Amino acid sequence: AYEGAQRLLPYADRPITKINVQGDLSYISQQAVQQRIAPYVAASFFTIDLAAMRSELEKMPWIAHAEVRRVWPDQVVIRLEQQLAVARWVNEALLNNQGEAFPPRGLAIYEHLPQLFGPQRAQQQVMQQYQVLSQMLRPMGFSIARLELRERGSWFLTTGAGSAGPGIELLLGRDHLVEKMRRFIAIYDKTLKEQITNIARIDLRYSNGLAVGWREQTAPPTDKPAVAKN
């Protein structure tokens, strides 16, 4: 049987004549994919290196995952999944929901996405924090327009303008971000909600309260920030 199979193999092992590319290709051209896999498709049906082809495709900036398989007798089917842009990273790249950076074709068309900042090594940490804080703020009608992790570990958040009012700055400090955000939510519902359009920033770097910075046109008579405590 083995010898028979060896004799029949040259007749069964046909050249690849068709490449079927599937998936949403909004940001990837068929031509770019064909050029990327050109060195591999010269092989025959049984000798084509599918693992190497998949690896080569996943090196393309907008491809998150590639699936490659043979279809008898002379076809290779490729299914591609594009990256999902969740946020802008500094002014140079986009981030997917895993906090992995990939280059855009042009940042101008992604200005609606939130902008995240931080040390290069902290991309995933900033994305994880963005997802947690965004989920906490969403029921209040807030979205995150900007989230920054500075070199010394302090976090700064700016909300986007929306149904809850104009954007405000939240100074979160270095640690216990979720606890501080819960405190903000509790005090916001009790005392700040009616004044939110007059608030420019809220400092949450206190152990049991927060300080409010008012917008200039409606600033209270005193120059000192108002302090609210639980």
Side-chain angles (χ1 to χ4, degrees):
Y2 174 79
E3 290 179 357
Q6 290 295 104
R7 292 175 181 176
L8 290 173
L9 184 60
Y11 300 98
D13 192 17
R14 304 182 182 183
I16 299 297
T17 61
K18 185 177 181 181
I19 304 293
N20 184 0
V21 181
Q22 303 174 353
D24 182 8
L25 302 182
S26 303
Y27 302 100
I28 310 166
S29 69
Q30 286 272 1
Q31 182 180 2
V33 173
Q34 296 289 349
Q35 290 176 349
R36 200 81 178 197
I37 63 175
Y40 301 94
V41 298
S44 62
F45 185 80
F46 290 115
T47 62
I48 189 169
D49 192 340
L50 299 183
M53 184 185 292
R54 181 179 67 250
S55 177
E56 189 66 27
L57 287 168
E58 290 180 348
K59 292 177 184 177
M60 298 180 71
W62 271 96
I63 294 181
H65 176 70
E67 178 185 330
V68 184
R69 59 188 176 89
R70 299 179 181 89
V71 175
W72 178 263
D74 56 1
Q75 183 180 174
V76 170
V77 175
I78 299 171
R79 181 161 186 82
L80 303 176
E81 292 182 14
Q82 289 188 147
Q83 295 278 14
L84 175 62
V86 175
R88 293 173 290 158
W89 178 251
V90 192
N91 293 309
E92 59 190 36
L94 299 174
L95 292 181
N96 63 18
N97 58 354
Q98 301 298 317
E100 299 167 338
F102 59 99
R105 303 182 73 177
L107 277 172
I109 61 175
Y110 303 101
E111 290 182 351
H112 64 286
L113 294 177
Q115 196 166 24
L116 309 185
F117 293 82
Q120 204 67 26
R121 64 184 182 278
Q123 291 173 348
Q124 294 184 356
Q125 180 187 4
V126 177
M127 173 55 70
Q128 290 171 358
Q129 202 64 259
Y130 163 78
Q131 292 172 331
V132 171
L133 298 177
S134 180
Q135 187 174 6
M136 296 181 74
L137 288 170
R138 192 176 298 117
M140 303 165 62
F142 287 111
S143 63
I144 296 178
R146 177 188 174 105
L147 180 64
E148 179 180 359
L149 171 62
R150 297 186 178 173
E151 284 290 344
R152 294 187 177 182
S154 293
W155 292 86
F156 295 81
L157 185 155
T158 304
T159 68
S163 59
I168 58 174
E169 297 178 4
L170 299 180
L171 286 65
L172 298 170
R174 300 182 62 175
D175 48 22
H176 307 298
L177 269 63
V178 171
E179 178 184 331
K180 292 173 181 176
M181 190 61 69
R182 287 174 179 161
R183 184 195 314 150
F184 164 66
I185 293 171
I187 297 177
Y188 172 82
D189 286 336
K190 291 179 181 178
T191 62
L192 299 178
K193 190 171 184 179
E194 300 302 321
Q195 292 290 329
I196 196 63
T197 57
N198 300 325
I199 296 173
R201 69 190 59 84
I202 297 176
D203 191 341
L204 292 157
R205 295 174 294 181
Y206 297 87
S207 59
N208 62 346
L210 54 82
V212 176
W214 303 93
R215 297 186 185 278
E216 290 184 4
Q217 62 270 26
T218 55
T222 177
D223 293 329
K224 296 181 180 180
V227 177
K229 293 185 178 181
N230 288 337

